[in-house]
Amino acid sequence: MKAVFQTDRGKVRLHNEDAGGVFRNKDGYRLAIVADGMGGHRAGDVASEMTITALKAEWEAASGITRAGDAESWLQEQIKKVNLLLLDHATNNSECDGMGTTIVAAIITDTFATIANIGDSRGYLLNEAGFKQITEDHSLVNELVRSGQISREDAEHHPRKNVLLRALGTEKTVEMDIKTIIFEEGDILLLCSDGLSNKVNEAEMLEILQNDENLLQKAGTLILLANENGGEDNITLAIVEFSETREDDV
């Protein structure tokens, strides 16, 4: 297994409110996360960093997660805990009122990957069947597309594109999507914030993921292209590739 995480402030924003990482538990399995924070007075970076810190600590202490059901239960339980943690922090710190974050997180083992998401940070899978988005955006515009009110092309430039219907840390109860996929030799999982997906289309992502660069170079190329295309938002991504070769994270 090979993995890389990168984040970039972009060309416009003064602060980076994204956070994430790729972490190993006691069994050597990975948890990859991307969180895109939001809120006034720089509270977005508080929400995303608190999310990553809490999940990292829990994952590094975890073991025995060998089945898809275990992974799904762990993500459900831990993300719900973080939701209450963020809500409590915002309640007790007025400068963080209204903060929240998106999250896309994946537990990756030697046989499967389990992905959970809230908001519009995305997961993509490249395998022998092709390249596709495997998460669903929890956004107003995506609901308009799903209901047939606007086309997917219209959605790309819709004025309310950034309106989220779900976020972590904004309500007492939170709904997340969770799915498990087969993950095998040669497959690549890409998690990213909308700072990447809004600026780099799927054809460009596919071309970069299939080129001869190593994972670190591919991550850098994706971020470079997002910045070349405007870079108005923070840009964050994690890439995990299933490889039989035993290799540390790059």
Side-chain angles (χ1 to χ4, degrees), residues 177-211:
D177 293 346
I178 296 186
K179 66 170 63 178
T180 295
I181 59 171
I182 296 170
F183 199 59
E184 51 195 3
E185 176 72 16
D187 292 358
I188 296 177
L189 184 67
L190 168 66
L191 308 183
C192 68
S193 64
D194 66 344
L196 181 72
S197 58
N198 282 343
K199 292 296 173 183
V200 179
N201 64 42
E202 291 187 13
E204 292 167 328
M205 290 180 188
L206 174 60
E207 183 179 353
I208 291 167
L209 291 176
Q210 287 182 321
N211 70 25

Side-chain angles (χ1 to χ4, degrees), residues 18-68:
D18 288 0
V22 181
F23 314 108
R24 295 193 201 203
N25 72 356
K26 291 181 177 180
D27 299 321
Y29 295 141
R30 287 170 175 78
L31 172 67
I33 321 173
V34 169
D36 180 354
M38 57 204 174
H41 306 287
R42 290 194 63 194
D45 57 358
V46 175
S48 60
E49 283 292 346
M50 284 182 65
T51 297
I52 300 307
T53 299
L55 291 174
K56 176 179 184 287
E58 290 290 343
W59 182 250
E60 289 179 343
S63 63
I65 298 172
T66 57
R67 298 175 303 173

Side-chain angles (χ1 to χ4, degrees), residues 33 63 94-95 97-98 114 120 170:
I33 321 173
S63 63
S94 58
E95 70 277 11
D97 184 42
T114 299
D120 62 357
T170 59

